[in-house]
Amino acid sequence: MASKDSVDTISIREMKESDISDAKEILVIAFTKGEPMTLCLGLTTHDDRIQNREMCEQGAKDGISVVAIDTAKENKIIGVAMSCIPKENDTAQSDPTSDDVHRKYEPIYSILDELEGNFDDYPDYKNNPDAKFTKAFKVGVLPEYAGKGLGTRLRHATTDLAKSKGFQFSVASASAPGSQRLYQKLKYEELAEIKYSDFVFKGSRPFAGITACPSIKLYIKKL
């Protein structure tokens, strides 16, 4: 367990390319053991490692993701919060391994697309077509640092960073009770939700078996 004193040695900074490997492993630990959709689809650590690496690569490039480091542990990365700039007309990776993983994630991508489409009709955004927004993605912390408010600090840091770089909105999809409480704590506005039992993908209901949380929710924050 991280000691109480170690909390004072934690600092947060913008994510760099050299952080990608450590950051993706922290997200793998966090999401393959607790994220409802990942568990329901039976996605493996191998699958999640590929998906998280691509996300971290984009996050480091976009410059609005952050990592937490413990200066008492030789600047070990112990937490990460991902935020990315939405890209139009994203193309799939040419690597066949990545393509196979993307197919496994299709139900997740589909429910996120449907949910996030509600932001297009949000009045403050709809009436300001030049407004820029970020998508707040995954937050992860090493288990020994959990329960110390670090996830909140990390997400707050990404919103501050985005605001400093001229973004007007942060948009977040929260799929589990913990992430939903996080965005409520940070004063995000709940905009929409999709019940897992109602979502249909290619004629089936891939998330009907989720019992830990009834729905995935969309939150937004004006920066």
Side-chain angles (χ1 to χ4, degrees):
M1 293 291 292
S3 68
K4 180 179 179 181
D5 291 341
S6 71
V7 176
D8 297 328
T9 67
I10 295 172
S11 62
I12 296 175
R13 60 163 172 76
E14 184 176 325
M15 185 179 177
K16 302 183 293 188
E17 185 176 355
S18 58
D19 301 327
I20 290 173
S21 181
D22 289 337
K24 73 171 171 54
E25 291 303 321
I26 290 172
L27 295 176
V28 167
I29 292 170
F31 278 78
T32 55
K33 293 183 178 180
E35 197 283 315
M37 295 189 294
T38 301
L39 293 173
C40 190
L41 293 178
L43 297 170
T44 67
T45 55
H46 171 74
D47 298 330
D48 211 44
R49 187 169 283 113
I50 292 173
Q51 197 265 353
N52 284 326
R53 181 170 187 86
E54 293 175 0
M55 180 184 295
C56 289
E57 287 172 348
Q58 182 182 341
K61 184 184 300 183
D62 289 349
I64 47 175
S65 296
V66 300
V67 295
I69 61 172
D70 190 341
T71 58
K73 299 288 182 67
E74 299 181 341
N75 292 332
K76 177 182 179 181
I77 295 177
I78 51 92
V80 57
M82 300 302 306
S83 285
C84 297
I85 302 170
K87 302 293 193 298
E88 293 185 2
N89 301 320
D90 280 342
T91 56
Q93 300 292 318
S94 58
D95 178 11
T97 302
S98 295
D99 289 343
D100 182 58
V101 170
H102 291 165
R103 282 190 288 272
K104 296 179 182 179
Y105 276 85
E106 281 183 350
I108 295 178
Y109 299 151
S110 181
I111 196 172
L112 289 175
D113 285 345
E114 183 177 329
L115 183 68
E116 292 167 358
N118 289 279
F119 178 61
D120 293 337
D121 293 323
Y122 184 69
D124 287 353
Y125 175 68
K126 190 174 183 178
N127 297 330
N128 184 9
D130 294 326
K132 298 194 299 179
F133 69 96
T134 68
K135 287 187 178 182
F137 288 120
K138 298 180 177 181
V139 179
V141 176
L142 288 177
E144 59 266 34
Y145 290 86
K148 300 180 183 298
L150 186 53
T152 301
R153 286 179 58 191
L154 283 161
R155 180 52 71 210
H156 188 70
T158 63
T159 58
D160 284 349
L161 184 58
K163 183 177 181 179
S164 73
K165 296 190 176 187
F167 291 89
Q168 288 81 41
F169 299 96
S170 173
V171 180
S173 299
S175 61
S179 57
Q180 291 170 8
R181 288 192 297 269
L182 170 65
Y183 290 112
Q184 291 163 7
K185 184 176 182 179
L186 290 171
K187 307 300 183 185
Y188 274 67
E189 175 186 353
E190 182 181 328
L191 187 63
E193 71 174 324
I194 298 175
K195 292 186 181 300
Y196 287 125
S197 59
D198 292 342
F199 176 70
V200 177
F201 176 75
K202 294 184 177 179
S204 68
R205 299 180 187 270
F207 304 124
I210 294 177
T211 58
C213 185
S215 61
I216 182 172
K217 298 184 177 184
L218 182 68
Y219 294 90
I220 83 150
K221 187 177 181 69
K222 289 184 276 189
L223 307 181

